[in-house]
Amino acid sequence: MASCTDIRRPRPADRWLEALPLGNGRIGAMVWGDPTAPRFSLNESTLWSGSPTTTERWHTGADDAEAARRRAWDLFRRGEVRAAQEALEGLGAAWSQAYQPVGELVVRLDGPEAPAPADYERVLDLSRAEHVVRASGAEHLTLVSLADEVLVHAMPCPAGVAVALELTSPLVEERRSTDDDGLTVVLRAPSDGVPTRHAELAELAWDEEGASRAVVVVRTSREYGRLLVTCAIGTTWQGLGQQPDRDLEELLAATTAQAEQALERGEAELRRRHRETPLPGIDEVALELAGSESAQLLATMVAYGRHLLASSSRAGLPPANLQGIWNDRVLAPWNSNYTVNINLEMNHWAAGVAHVPAAAEALEGYTAMLRRAGRDTARRLYGARGWTVHHNSDPWGYTDPVSGDPKWATWPMGGLWLERELDSIASFSGEDTAAIAVRRFPALREAAAFALDLLHEAEDGTLVTFPSTSPENEWLTEGGEAVALTAGGGMNRWLLHDVLGSLLASAELLGRSEDEVVREAAAALPRIPGPRIGADGRVLEWHLDGVGEVEPTHRHVSHLGFEYPGATPQPPEVSAAVVASMEARGDEATGWSLAWKTALWARLRRADKVQDLLELFLRPAELPDGSERSGLYPNLFSAHPPFQIDGNIGIVAAIAECLVQSHRGEIELLPAAALILASGSVRGLRARPGVAVDMKWEDGAVTALSLRAVGPGALGLHRVRHGELRATVELRDEAPVTVTLQPSV
């Protein structure tokens, strides 16, 4: 059984989508692997266009927002949905900012052109986060060090051969200096990452004022026939939500010191320090699968997804964005920012169950920043308490709707989804339940306050959120108009039940049931419908039954979120409606949607459908005719298309759901073991409330099992189930306990 922690390629990359990614949560590098001219596509997680104040002048004021909301609600109740939707377009008048590339670094040796080596191989070691090229009997090493905050490259270099460093960037170059041992470059990012749909404003993009700077310092040395290159990158970033105005001369000095201090340590010491300071949690979870090449590839994708998340998320910095931290364009698809109606959350579904702690911390810090920024948006646009964020955001704290189509812009539920995601991560942590409640209660209270102020009474006496949409999807009115606006859409009902329910549970645990917001939540929750089933047996997505659908196979399945990632067990009739909804949506979808659908079918214990979806997910994305579909690019990046990292990370959570489920009050093993998952082993996967699961299985039958509490909240009795086999296990401390499953009596 192979370990599946290496990605191997027999030749250098010819393009970005063949290069392989490294990162330390801040510096990112796509490594191309040419031993004769090493090339690195560089990124830095804090390098973004604009600043917190870039688009403030465009924001809609409170008076205009109130008028738009009132008009929209009146029109909506009269059945004039298109006019109501158009009225709400005025809430969004600006845009979030764009994640930026640093540039391309190439190391050239001035000597006779070397022939292509016959024994070439490049390897991305996912367990060590190292990229190694082996060619002509020599090793070329690349790593991005967490310990030393630099990119490191070491390679053979014969005496007398001159070294040339090339750094090119699509950003504005403000300063450059070079000498025999390296180079220093200062770059300026755009002052406004105006989306392509606003191209008429492109003249704003490159102003000097309000723009971030990046400093790139590269240093080289030679010893014992090898060349050592260290590359440090710093930016004028001052923190989440803060103006990027760090003193440039101070930044230059600090970045230079990083590159030079790392160089002085030498290759062996840098590698030792790198291995002694691994990405947090990276070696604590491992999956191995036996059988076909597809099974091996799937196990590799799980290791790869964890590597990508751990490499692109770090506490105190922006969490993994739409492309992690690997982007080669000034205006990348969707600005490579944060799509809060799915991408940001899906990027973190694996943070708890597959234990990527740095990502969990990064999301917590990012959400805390959005809470601060989103309070003004809640008051100004909705006259509401609490806070909100809409479908797009950035590290500067953009929380308004963006200017654009309401089917994606008019969605104020981002705060609720982020809070339920943080609750979900905490449920795998092993933290004491009371401690979680103390920590989470203030945030849940604030999110709930906003949601309560968004509620309106419907004609049937229920409470519905307005405005509401089912992200990016549309329905057809009786007159055949395509509209997105609804009241109390299916996704909103799920989020309300999850967040208000969590608030009430925490309040009861803490003795806070008389809190004003808690009392409001307790009164409102029974009046908010749960999942509704239509006449056709499917889950209702909008407020009306039997409406036509503009795109019946739409990629979003937001209205089914109560089944997954929600963790409330559903009655059989509701799960049957989810099945009917999934069958109507079909299998074909974007890469990230395939990951979500896989997780949903796993939650429904449908191993047959899991198999179907995984076959689509693992197929090549690029076709011989030059077209693209969902699947995998040559470097195993997931294709929307184009590349989006949520597919890579989301599939980790989906596979975890196939192997272990714990939302029903017991630890269930192999609930959706598709054919591709028939035999294997897993180490360190988490079950609620914080139980590490080590398991081996053959032909779908568990052959070895041990459990370990990862914190005090997981101590005590746990019920375990695998088919008709059962066990009750007591975890008294954090030592592993071997478990023997027995037939149920």
Side-chain angles (χ1 to χ4, degrees), residues 125 127-132 134 139 141-148 267-279 282-283:
D125 183 336
S127 63
R128 289 177 166 168
E130 295 177 359
H131 184 285
V132 175
R134 296 183 180 92
E139 181 178 273
L141 168 70
T142 308
L143 56 88
V144 178
S145 172
L146 183 61
D148 290 287
E267 177 184 351
E269 177 67 2
L270 288 170
R271 193 170 198 174
R272 183 192 68 78
R273 287 168 57 85
H274 171 70
R275 290 183 175 180
E276 289 184 355
T277 312
L279 297 169
I282 197 66
D283 58 351

Side-chain angles (χ1 to χ4, degrees), residues 589-611:
T590 60
W592 62 262
S593 183
L594 292 177
W596 196 349
K597 290 179 178 180
T598 302
L600 278 163
W601 284 121
R603 182 60 65 85
L604 294 162
R605 301 190 179 101
R606 285 288 300 273
D608 59 331
K609 292 305 300 178
V610 167
Q611 181 72 25

Side-chain angles (χ1 to χ4, degrees), residues 658-724:
C658 295
L659 301 179
V660 178
Q661 293 182 17
S662 56
H663 65 291
R664 299 182 182 94
E666 62 183 4
I667 299 173
E668 184 178 358
L669 307 175
L670 304 180
L675 182 62
I676 196 172
L677 295 164
S679 299
S681 67
V682 71
R683 170 174 55 82
L685 209 60
R686 298 288 178 88
R688 300 173 183 86
V691 178
V693 178
D694 294 356
M695 174 175 59
K696 295 181 180 180
W697 66 98
E698 292 182 12
D699 297 325
V702 175
T703 59
L705 174 67
S706 71
L707 304 179
R708 176 178 60 86
V710 300
L715 300 180
L717 293 176
H718 298 275
R719 290 182 290 121
V720 184
R721 179 162 72 90
H722 170 49
E724 297 303 315

Side-chain angles (χ1 to χ4, degrees), residues 217 298 334 456 692 710:
V217 179
L298 183 60
W334 304 286
H456 292 65
V710 300

Side-chain angles (χ1 to χ4, degrees), residues 5 48 339 363 378 482 537-538 549 574 745:
T5 58
W48 290 70
T339 303
L363 183 65
R538 292 187 291 163
E549 298 171 87
V574 173
V745 178

Side-chain angles (χ1 to χ4, degrees), residues 36-120:
T36 63
R39 179 177 179 179
F40 313 97
S41 302
L42 301 177
N43 290 98
E44 210 276 0
S45 70
T46 66
L47 186 60
W48 290 70
S49 66
S51 75
T53 57
T54 297
T55 61
E56 279 185 349
R57 63 191 182 279
W58 304 105
H59 289 177
T60 301
D63 291 343
D64 290 341
E66 182 180 11
R69 292 196 322 272
R70 289 183 182 278
R71 174 170 169 75
W73 180 238
D74 289 342
L75 289 167
F76 185 83
R77 287 186 297 177
R78 296 203 301 264
E80 299 178 43
V81 181
R82 166 60 66 182
Q85 183 170 295
E86 290 173 352
L88 288 169
E89 288 188 43
L91 296 184
W95 46 86
S96 55
Q97 292 301 308
Y99 180 55
Q100 297 298 301
V102 172
E104 302 286 318
L105 174 64
V106 179
V107 181
R108 297 195 185 278
L109 304 185
D110 186 11
E113 185 173 340
D119 59 348
Y120 177 93

